[in-house]
């Protein structure tokens, strides 16, 4: 098992070396994005259902559920539940949008490396130019892949939140 982990780590280090320092920034943003998304999945699967059951129980315990005031209380509870569910979603969406931008930063820094090689050694050193082009394309690819995974799963989170909120609304009848 330890040998396997060392091989994986060597592969990751090799990949990161081909893309330059910007890949570490992409990795950090990707890690943070996934921590936040996993926290939201956990919240929606375990915490929100309990909170919604408490809201439903409080609504059913009310003697009066038909007045204007009762409807405002219902709206406030639903609004609070929605706000709790949407916590950190703006940060997740921002990180998703940031991934390709960081990848483009890697492209620019890689191309600067290529131009530096060309300025110092001319166009005759194809090996050095290829290393710079590789350094330019790897962060772009990594940023796009990170953004695609974030778009897919954040959309899934949004859908799960909407369904959960609709179920809560449906469980709080207004007469």
């Amino acid at each position: 098992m330890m040998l396997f982990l060392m091989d994986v780590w060597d592969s990751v280090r090799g990949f990161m070396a081909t893309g330059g320092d910007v890949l570490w920034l992409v990795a950090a943003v990707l890690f943070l994005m996934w921590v936040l998304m996993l926290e939201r999945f956990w919240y929606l699967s375990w915490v929100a259902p309990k909170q919604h059951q408490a809201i439903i129980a409080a609504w059913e315990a009310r003697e009066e559920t038909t007045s204007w005031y009762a409807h405002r209380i219902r709206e406030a509870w639903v609004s609070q539940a929605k706000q709790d569910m949407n916590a950190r979603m703006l940060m997740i969406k921002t990180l998703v949008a940031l991934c390709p931008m960081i990848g483009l930063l890697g492209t620019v820094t890689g191309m600067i490396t290529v131009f530096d090689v060309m300025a110092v050694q001319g166009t005759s050193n194809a090996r050095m130019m290829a290393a710079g082009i590789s350094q330019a394309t790897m962060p772009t690819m990594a940023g796009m892949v990170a953004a695609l995974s974030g778009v897919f799963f954040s959309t899934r989170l949004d859908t799960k939140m909407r369904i959960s909120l609709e179920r809560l609304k449906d469980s709080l009848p207004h007469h």
Side-chain angles (χ1 to χ4, degrees):
M1 180 65 170
M2 186 58 114
L3 188 59
F4 172 73
L5 291 176
M6 288 175 61
D7 284 345
V8 168
W9 177 245
D10 284 342
S11 296
V12 168
R13 275 194 359 213
F15 178 74
M16 295 305 229
T18 61
D21 294 336
V22 175
L23 269 184
W24 289 105
L25 185 57
V26 171
V29 169
L30 180 64
F31 178 77
L32 178 60
M33 179 180 71
W34 271 99
V35 165
L36 292 173
M37 285 194 296
L38 289 172
E39 184 275 335
R40 286 290 85 191
F41 274 114
W42 174 79
Y43 176 84
L44 287 170
S45 299
W46 300 101
V47 177
K50 292 175 185 168
Q51 289 178 338
H52 294 181
Q53 287 302 323
I55 292 170
I56 292 166
W59 181 256
E60 290 173 350
R62 289 183 55 85
E63 290 181 19
E64 198 279 310
T65 60
T66 59
S67 71
W68 182 87
Y69 292 108
H71 289 287
R72 299 301 78 76
I73 290 170
R74 178 187 179 276
E75 288 173 11
W77 288 347
V78 169
S79 177
Q80 183 62 50
K82 181 178 182 180
Q83 185 176 357
D84 291 345
M85 282 192 289
N86 280 321
R88 287 175 279 296
M89 283 305 293
L90 181 59
M91 175 63 83
I92 290 169
K93 290 177 180 182
T94 301
L95 292 172
V96 168
L98 200 57
C99 284
M101 297 301 132
I102 296 170
L104 288 174
L105 176 64
T107 299
V108 170
T109 58
M111 292 311 295
I112 289 171
T113 302
V114 171
F115 294 139
D116 282 346
V117 168
M118 289 172 62
V120 173
Q121 298 183 2
T123 58
S124 62
N125 193 339
R127 187 170 295 201
M128 289 296 285
M129 287 176 34
I133 291 170
S134 174
Q135 188 176 349
T137 56
M138 295 303 262
T140 304
M141 179 197 66
M144 296 303 272
V145 169
L148 286 173
S149 71
V151 165
F152 178 76
F153 285 100
S154 67
T155 301
R156 185 110 166 89
L157 268 173
D158 276 338
T159 301
K160 194 169 180 170
M161 281 186 220
R162 275 198 307 276
I163 290 169
S164 181
L165 192 62
E166 287 304 315
R167 284 185 181 149
L168 175 63
K169 288 178 184 177
D170 291 345
S171 298
L172 301 175
H174 42 42
H175 305 285

